[in-house]
Amino acid sequence: MAASVTPPRGMRDFLPAEKARREHALGVIRGVYAAHGFDEIETPVMEDSQRLHAGLGGDNEKLAFAVMRRGLTPDDLAAAAASGDALALADLGLRYDLTVPLARFYATHRAALPPVFRAIQIAPVWRAERPQKGRYRQFVQCDIDIIGEAGPLAELELLTATIATLEALGLGGCTIRLNDRRILAGILGSWGVPGELRERALITIDKLDKIGVGGVAAELRDHGAITAGTDVAAELEALTAANWHLHDGLVPPPAWLDQGAYAELLALRAALPGAAIEFDPTLVRGMGYYTGTIFEIAHPDLGYSLGGGGRYDHMIGRFLGQEVPACGFSIGFERIVDLLAVRDEGRPRAVVLVYDADVEPAELLSLKHELVASGTRVRFERRVKNLRALLDRVSADGFDAFAAVTTATTDASSLAFRELSA
């Protein structure tokens, strides 16, 4: 039986046209981020296992791919089996996001960085997910982060750059949903959720779009986070209908509303009058490291977010020994790239030279040199009997025109190009 030749589940190969679409989108994203004053960095694909499992990544820590230590002995394997701690065999792991590596990077290089550091990270990450539509085991994240700015300017810069990026990608109709972890803490407090169960409760609320109001209420009760007398389902229904009317001076604000956090969200909205920004008190964001403002991108045609982020002021202190404010926003690259088409503007003309078998290689290279020097992309294809199939294939690969090359061809100016149909 032949061995499987497909990629590992949850990981993908990309054909040339797919790769071109991805690179186009990445170029747009990088360009907009750079125009907004962010600088790109690069970090290793692996981090220390203890760092990846330091309680900063929420449920994603459980999805980290571990890398086994070198030189393991049978005694090491037996000890790990006896203890039930498989991570004892690992000293490294593949990164499951880009925020934990950024915190480590900043702690390592702080002396060489400006007081307020604006970072771009665009790179693959790995999670041991159960593969499904829009969810992969290897995927690209596009992050921007601001470290060292405690005020609302950080959130405003991130929101502005993200909105500009979506517009540059041609993704209209997106909405930014805002919330604050302090508001969530007030909601959980009003339900009487014990402190030790609050992170667990937030993970459950984060499933609201998947299991619904009834499912969230049932799971909270199953975990012992709420008492039987608390009508969480009714309160969740009211929360999902909330927007910017909670404290307009006409009615008293809800008891659970952290008015300081809500005022900050109102100020963000007022500073971005042209943006579609909604307040959603049920927005959680799954990561356990968020401390304040959180945000997410919603698209009217999709049932899942296109990205998100928030403020994580305590993470860097775990590495550095002193608190440093930080805030970030990540675009869900894998989810948006399939919505995009490669645009023609800015792309060099791409041509195919269909050559006869008796044309000398040196002559072909001379023609290619002339065309490439003029800014044209060139591919060679040997003439075949079924020329139509060849032309259909190169057209699908993004080429614009073709020309025949024979022994009578003298130079690039003598080539008779014919346009390929789109």
Side-chain angles (χ1 to χ4, degrees), residues 262-344:
Y262 187 62
E264 291 177 14
L265 296 182
L266 286 170
L268 292 177
R269 179 195 183 208
L272 298 167
I277 299 178
E278 295 179 352
F279 171 57
D280 182 357
T282 67
L283 176 64
V284 174
R285 300 292 301 162
M287 296 298 191
Y289 48 64
Y290 290 124
T291 59
T293 315
I294 48 178
F295 18 73
E296 206 164 77
I297 307 168
H299 191 281
D301 297 333
L302 301 174
Y304 45 77
S305 73
L306 292 181
R311 183 166 283 280
Y312 52 98
D313 286 344
H314 300 323
M315 181 187 287
I316 295 174
R318 298 278 292 269
F319 302 119
L320 198 59
Q322 66 182 87
E323 295 297 330
V324 179
C327 197
F329 209 130
S330 179
I331 286 179
F333 179 73
E334 306 297 345
R335 291 180 169 181
I336 67 172
V337 70
D338 291 335
L339 302 175
L340 310 177
V342 177
R343 298 178 181 177
D344 290 333

Side-chain angles (χ1 to χ4, degrees), residues 8 40 55 67 150 166 196 219 261 269 288 388 397:
E40 189 162 3
V67 179
L166 294 173
E196 67 274 13
E219 188 169 311
R269 179 195 183 208
R388 183 70 264 164
D397 287 345

Side-chain angles (χ1 to χ4, degrees), residues 1 15 59 62 66 95 107 124 140 163 217 220 232 243 264 268 287 295 304 336 342 350 354 357 374-375 403:
M1 181 181 293
L15 293 169
D59 272 6
K62 302 174 185 177
R95 62 191 178 203
V140 171
I163 292 168
L220 288 173
V232 168
N243 207 314
E264 291 177 14
L268 292 177
M287 296 298 191
F295 18 73
Y304 45 77
I336 67 172
V342 177
V354 181
S374 69

Side-chain angles (χ1 to χ4, degrees), residues 85-159:
D85 181 15
L87 282 177
L89 302 174
D91 59 349
L92 299 171
L94 291 173
R95 62 191 178 203
Y96 52 76
D97 76 352
L98 297 176
T99 308
V100 173
L102 174 64
R104 195 273 311 152
F105 172 94
Y106 183 82
T108 302
H109 301 286
R110 185 184 187 188
L113 299 173
V116 176
F117 180 49
R118 295 168 175 84
I120 303 170
Q121 282 191 100
I122 298 178
V125 299
W126 293 264
R127 294 179 191 170
E129 296 271 14
R130 180 176 298 167
Q132 54 188 287
K133 181 176 176 58
R135 192 176 292 273
Y136 306 101
R137 289 177 171 171
Q138 176 179 319
F139 55 96
V140 171
Q141 285 191 333
C142 301
D143 287 15
I144 46 174
D145 294 82
I146 299 178
I147 301 176
E149 174 56 65
L153 181 60
E155 281 91 339
L156 288 171
E157 284 198 79
L158 292 168
L159 290 167

Side-chain angles (χ1 to χ4, degrees), residues 147-298:
I147 301 176
E149 174 56 65
L153 181 60
E155 281 91 339
L156 288 171
E157 284 198 79
L158 292 168
L159 290 167
T160 300
T162 299
I163 292 168
T165 300
L166 294 173
E167 290 175 350
L169 290 169
L171 292 175
C174 290
T175 300
I176 304 293
R177 298 161 59 208
L178 289 182
N179 197 15
D180 194 292
R181 278 296 180 105
R182 293 168 290 177
I183 291 174
L184 286 166
I187 293 171
L188 297 182
S190 72
W191 293 347
V193 178
E196 67 274 13
L197 293 179
R198 290 196 174 185
E199 280 303 318
R200 177 68 258 177
L202 289 177
I203 291 171
T204 298
I205 296 171
D206 199 31
K207 301 177 184 178
L208 184 60
D209 61 337
K210 300 181 180 68
I211 63 177
V213 166
V216 169
E219 188 169 311
L220 288 173
R221 289 194 182 91
D222 290 344
H223 289 302
I226 56 173
T227 61
T230 306
D231 191 356
V232 168
E235 296 196 27
L236 279 171
E237 289 283 5
L239 289 172
T240 57
N243 207 314
W244 296 109
H245 62 274
L246 293 180
H247 188 21
D248 55 12
L250 300 179
V251 294
W256 51 261
L257 184 64
D258 185 305
Q259 295 187 49
Y262 187 62
E264 291 177 14
L265 296 182
L266 286 170
L268 292 177
R269 179 195 183 208
L272 298 167
I277 299 178
E278 295 179 352
F279 171 57
D280 182 357
T282 67
L283 176 64
V284 174
R285 300 292 301 162
M287 296 298 191
Y289 48 64
Y290 290 124
T291 59
T293 315
I294 48 178
F295 18 73
E296 206 164 77
I297 307 168

Side-chain angles (χ1 to χ4, degrees), residues 17-62:
E18 297 171 304
K19 181 64 174 174
R21 183 171 63 249
R22 293 171 69 85
E23 291 302 317
H24 164 75
L26 289 172
V28 171
I29 294 168
R30 281 190 168 95
V32 176
Y33 284 170
H36 282 257
F38 293 82
D39 295 309
E40 189 162 3
I41 64 169
E42 185 174 329
T43 58
V45 301
M46 291 188 286
E47 294 284 346
D48 288 342
S49 181
Q50 290 183 337
R51 184 173 298 125
L52 292 173
H53 295 86
L56 298 171
D59 272 6
N60 286 328
E61 291 190 4
K62 302 174 185 177

